[in-house]
Amino acid sequence: MKQFSKECASPSSIPRKLSTQAVVSARAAPRQIGSYAVHAMFTCGPLESPRPAELTTPVTDLFAARSQMAISLGFHIVFASIGMAMPFVMAISHWRWLRTKEPVYLDLTKAWSKGVAIFFATGAVSGTVLSFELGLLWPNFMEYAGPISGLPFAWEGTAFFLEAIALGIFLYGWNRVHPWAHWASGVVVGLSGVASALFVICANAWMNAPAGFDWVDGKPINIDPVAAMFNRAALHQGLHMTIAAFCATGYAVAGIHAIGLLKNPASAFHASAFRIAVFIGALAAVVQPLHGDRLAKQTAVLQPAKFAAMESLFRTAKGAPLTIGGIPSEETQTVRYGIEIPGLLSFLAHGDFDAVVPGLDQFPREHWPPIAVTHIAFQIMVGIGVLLAAIGAWSLFALWRRPVWLHSRKALWLFALCTPLGFIAIEAGWTVTEVGRQPWIIYGYMKTSEAVTPMPGLVYPMMGFTAVYLLLAFIVTWLLVRQFRHVG
Amino acid sequence: MLVDLIALFLAASILLYSLLAGADFGAGMLEAFVRGDRAEEERKIISHAIGPVWEANHVWLILAIVILFMGFPKAYTALSITFHIPLALMLLGVVLRGCAFAFRHYDVARDRAHLYYAAIFVLSSFLAPLMLGIVAGASLLGATSPPEAGFYAAFVRPWANLFSFAVGVFTCVLFAFLAAVYLIGETTDPPIQRIFVRRAIITNVLAILAGIAVFLAAEFDGLALARMFAGRALSLGSMIGATVLLVPLWVAVKRHRTHLARVLVAGQVALVLIGWFRLQYPIIFNSRSDPLTIYTAAAPDPALRYLLYALVVGSLIIFPALFYLLKVFKWSATQEA
Ligand code: HDD
Ligand code: HEM
Ligand code: HEM
């Protein structure tokens, strides 16, 4: 921190973009960046940073590229989350079948695996689109980022293979391999799914907490892919995503079978399914806010601008208040209709009610992310997180002591209504992460506008892919409904 | 050295993608010609053959892309910019093929929807390899212009030409040929086997014609393809080898040695690709303004080194698993109940 303040005194050593001569080590930086160091880095120096790419790339093209990326990721993440969590949910019922030989568990495992097969195929192809889109949309980003942060993707390749191979055996191997080997293939699908997610999050976390290179004359040198992969944001972002996948999938499956039970209360099929799914979802939901708090503390340190935007903290404050809800306005720099709890934000961010939390005033205006979107998305995620955790704690108690509670019509209705909430929270969480990082694509090093492809007319591919994804989302939903009618 | 090893892995992934996933696409193309009272049967065999393996086969493409962007980032960038349109169309094909296949296989109800799935499945099975071939041909041709030259010159003309199109068609036919020979072994029912044998004969003839068309189109677009072949012993040798292999291949088919036929046809297609790779080496993207070789496009050493570790360790895990998958589904006589 001290070192950075000293550097700021001499204009020629202003970090990266702000001066092309600058030499900044992203390897040394992580250990030194305290919240102050980071905001100091942004506040000193000549701030009218040149943005050549924006002059040549029409805003509509950039916007189209962002929209296409967001839609593709927002689509993929739903299937990826299900691909991570569902194999474990199925492993439970599959295990019960092998142990108890109660046919309901066999029916359940088979019914789930039919649904899941559709999700896996869609997840795999939409992921493939993403790996091309990184280049199709952000070639200038990939030219630098590929060698530095490509390593997790290389490992992910192995996880993909294992997953696809195990999936083939699981889906088609019912009578071909030993029953327990077959069960194990299902677990391998889940394990490699989680591994893929952890790897890909390492790559994403690197965009938030760049590490493993020195930035010299506008180019990265001395790259260290291992340091980049194990950057400071990776572990907790990865954990948070994994828990989120279990939470969202658990609640979604529980909700669907709750609807089944509402229609047909005597169905042993839906009852077994419901119990397994509630267990998984509730467990994850209870853990998530605790871990979310840990993640937020990390964001406060690594990306104070994003943190200030999430909390709509316009002015730096000692004993900063927590603003719940509300609509922030960048013009007036105020939040309307929010509830303020004095001192709580300082406590949440730094464990001390009197700590200083840097606000947006510490950052030049052109380095602000879109405040309203980031703030509102964060409120949605946390709101859902708290709600699902409360329901989760209650359900875990019920599962343990009072199973009949869960089967009351009111409880079933509650779960039915919660069906989409976990996924809404996931989309909201990613909006916080990605929009909150703007205008940077590599936080502090490269702007999104500099990364976009020179090809004009990007709205057309954007509209095309959007149409395809909408169509696929529609068909997948329709197929699930058809399947549901068929079994229920 | 390091660079060459990474390039070898890249070539191997493309090769395996073509031999494995290529056949899955080929089977989809063959479905277009399914007719008559055995149509349903034939469709079933095709989807049974693809079902357990296509997702694993598909990962070779992802691996190739990852090697490209981590190992040869400049080439990945340049290819993505210039070939945005055909690559996007290829992705469209990949997405629609995979989804239509899964939807069809798992849709519990049997109604009109299946007609649409089948149509999309077949069309997208043509689209993806066609575009893949177009991009392959266009990267060799290298008729590029910088973005300042205008939209058409920079983003359309590099791939919208006769040569690239001919390579695209050749790719399709080659994949269909591969699939037809593989499929012979998927059934023990003689009349259906005869259908696949007939398809193999037709696609084989088409492949030869399409191959000749590639050379003619190259002349038309000013690429001295024949001379390039003649100048490289390995390319020429592979071409001759691929042609000679046709003889044992057809003997094997006639004698119902279906496994041997599979190996021979895979070897044949592999030779065609190896010949092509040698033709390109060391160029990845023969861009007119800025040709990129594996050396000029390579990432810095640390990136290549760690990529190599990941690939080697990955291979040690993947190959046994893949072997097990093929053993369970392709080399055992038991049929799924
Ligand atoms: C079921 C989904 C879900 C739920 C209930 C929550 N989250 Fe979350 N959150 C995610 C799903 C998610 C996510 C989609 O998975 C994100 C996006 C990036 C990431 O790694 O996880 C995320 C990101 C994310 C970030 C941004 C990290 C960054 O960009 O640096 C923070 C600070 C939190 N979360 C905090 C919380 C808190 C305090 C929660 C308390 C209730 C919470 N999350 C519940
Ligand atoms: C490894 C994972 C990910 C990588 C490498 C990645 C990469 C990117 C890139 C390159 C962009 C374009 C530049 C930008 O606007 O920031 C982007 C934008 C975006 N991504 Fe991510 N992303 C990842 C995960 C996700 C996920 C899972 C979502 C889920 C919804 C997501 C949502 C978005 C959104 C909403 C934008 C647009 C931001 C804007 O409005 O400007 N990202 N991401
Ligand atoms: C950050 C959010 C992401 C998470 C949590 C995630 C996780 C996963 C998981 C669990 C799978 C396997 C499940 C399935 O097949 O349905 C998967 C598939 C895939 N993902 Fe993602 N992913 C994310 C973003 C990305 C990005 C940014 C890319 C590309 C650069 C990508 C590329 C792929 C590919 C290519 C597949 C297909 C693998 C196959 O064929 O089996 N993913 N992802």
Side-chain angles (χ1 to χ4, degrees), chain A residues 77 201 204 208 233 236-245 247-248 285 288-299 303 306-307 310 378 381-386 388-389 421-434:
Chain A
I77 194 74
I201 299 277
N204 179 265
N208 291 329
H236 285 291
Q237 240 189 284
L239 272 178
H240 197 65
M241 178 69 236
T242 309
I243 303 170
C247 171
Q288 189 70 327
L290 304 175
H291 182 260
D293 172 55
R294 177 68 190 71
L295 182 61
K297 286 187 166 56
Q298 169 183 292
T299 307
Q303 302 177 82
K306 180 190 277 182
F307 187 77
M310 273 154 51
F378 188 63
M381 170 175 64
V382 175
I384 292 176
V386 171
L388 295 187
L421 290 190
F423 285 102
I424 296 175
I426 287 186
E427 301 287 353
W430 276 107
T431 307
V432 174
T433 301
E434 301 292 320

Side-chain angles (χ1 to χ4, degrees), chain A residues 355-378:
Chain A
V356 177
V357 181
L360 288 160
D361 54 1
Q362 299 287 338
F363 305 94
R365 193 63 185 255
E366 76 260 26
H367 291 171
W368 285 17
I371 310 295
V373 176
T374 314
H375 177 75
I376 292 170
F378 188 63

Side-chain angles (χ1 to χ4, degrees), chain A residues 55 58-59 61 134 136 207 214 288-289 322-323 360 376 416 422 442:
Chain A
L55 298 179
V59 176
D61 275 328
L134 288 177
L136 293 178
M207 295 159 65
D214 296 325
Q288 189 70 327
L322 179 73
T323 309
L360 288 160
I376 292 170
I442 309 175

Side-chain angles (χ1 to χ4, degrees), chain A residues 94-420:
Chain A
H94 195 180
W95 190 78
R96 292 215 172 142
W97 154 246
L98 291 174
R99 269 300 150 96
T100 66
K101 296 287 168 194
E102 281 179 44
V104 65
Y105 289 115
L106 179 63
D107 291 348
L108 187 54
T109 312
K110 287 208 164 169
W112 272 343
S113 70
K114 281 201 170 145
V116 165
I118 297 173
F119 280 87
F120 269 108
T122 316
V125 293
S126 62
T128 310
V129 173
L130 282 173
S131 53
F132 279 87
E133 267 176 354
L134 288 177
L136 293 178
L137 299 174
W138 316 106
N140 302 331
F141 162 68
M142 286 309 284
E143 189 174 339
Y144 294 146
I148 308 171
S149 78
L151 187 57
F153 287 109
W155 284 105
E156 201 189 14
T158 302
F160 285 157
F161 266 115
L162 273 186
E163 177 171 14
I165 292 168
L167 185 71
I169 294 171
F170 179 73
L171 291 178
Y172 290 84
W174 281 95
N175 298 314
R176 292 191 173 215
V177 294
H178 185 275
W180 283 104
H182 183 228
W183 179 82
S185 72
V187 175
V188 173
V189 176
L191 289 177
S192 34
V194 170
S196 324
L198 292 177
F199 285 133
V200 81
I201 299 277
C202 286
N204 179 265
W206 176 83
M207 295 159 65
N208 291 329
F213 59 91
D214 296 325
W215 192 262
V216 178
D217 289 343
K219 280 202 167 55
I221 60 161
N222 297 335
I223 69 171
D224 178 351
V226 177
M229 179 163 164
F230 298 104
N231 61 73
R232 294 214 304 166
L235 175 65
H236 285 291
Q237 240 189 284
L239 272 178
H240 197 65
M241 178 69 236
T242 309
I243 303 170
F246 282 87
C247 171
T249 308
Y251 273 94
V253 176
I256 290 171
H257 291 286
I259 297 172
L261 282 172
L262 282 168
K263 284 198 176 145
N264 181 2
S267 163
F269 175 84
H270 287 305
S272 327
F274 180 64
R275 273 196 306 274
I276 294 174
V278 167
F279 175 69
I280 298 264
L283 209 59
V286 171
V287 181
Q288 189 70 327
L290 304 175
H291 182 260
D293 172 55
R294 177 68 190 71
L295 182 61
K297 286 187 166 56
Q298 169 183 292
T299 307
V301 173
L302 295 177
Q303 302 177 82
K306 180 190 277 182
F307 187 77
M310 273 154 51
E311 306 290 0
S312 286
L313 187 67
F314 286 99
R315 270 168 295 278
T316 305
K318 191 166 174 305
L322 179 73
T323 309
I324 299 177
I327 302 168
S329 156
E330 285 182 39
E331 304 312 311
T332 60
Q333 308 212 350
T334 52
V335 185
R336 274 185 300 159
Y337 314 120
I339 305 165
E340 282 200 3
I341 304 175
L344 191 57
L345 184 60
S346 290
F347 178 74
L348 286 177
H350 301 292
D352 170 3
F353 283 99
D354 290 323
V356 177
V357 181
L360 288 160
D361 54 1
Q362 299 287 338
F363 305 94
R365 193 63 185 255
E366 76 260 26
H367 291 171
W368 285 17
I371 310 295
V373 176
T374 314
H375 177 75
I376 292 170
F378 188 63
Q379 306 303 306
I380 293 175
M381 170 175 64
V382 175
I384 292 176
V386 171
L387 176 71
L388 295 187
I391 298 176
W394 176 81
S395 332
L396 285 181
F397 176 79
L399 275 177
W400 179 44
R401 280 293 151 99
R402 303 270 189 288
V404 287
W405 285 5
L406 283 176
H407 289 269
S408 70
R409 286 191 81 75
K410 272 193 197 127
L412 292 176
W413 266 108
L414 184 64
F415 275 98
L417 291 175
C418 286
T419 308

Side-chain angles (χ1 to χ4, degrees), chain B residues 166-235:
Chain B
V167 177
V169 172
F170 179 64
T171 311
C172 288
V173 181
L174 207 59
F175 286 176
F177 174 47
L178 203 54
V181 178
Y182 286 175
L183 282 170
I184 299 173
E186 288 289 329
T187 171
T188 45
D189 185 11
I192 301 222
Q193 269 195 341
R194 271 198 296 280
I195 296 179
F196 286 129
V197 170
R198 204 174 59 234
R199 300 208 193 293
I201 295 173
I202 295 170
T203 44
N204 192 350
V205 173
L206 287 178
I208 294 169
L209 293 179
I212 295 170
V214 168
F215 280 93
L216 295 180
E219 287 306 317
F220 181 84
D221 276 321
L223 182 75
L225 192 63
R227 200 142 32 91
M228 290 166 82
F229 262 102
R232 289 170 177 80
L234 183 61
S235 295

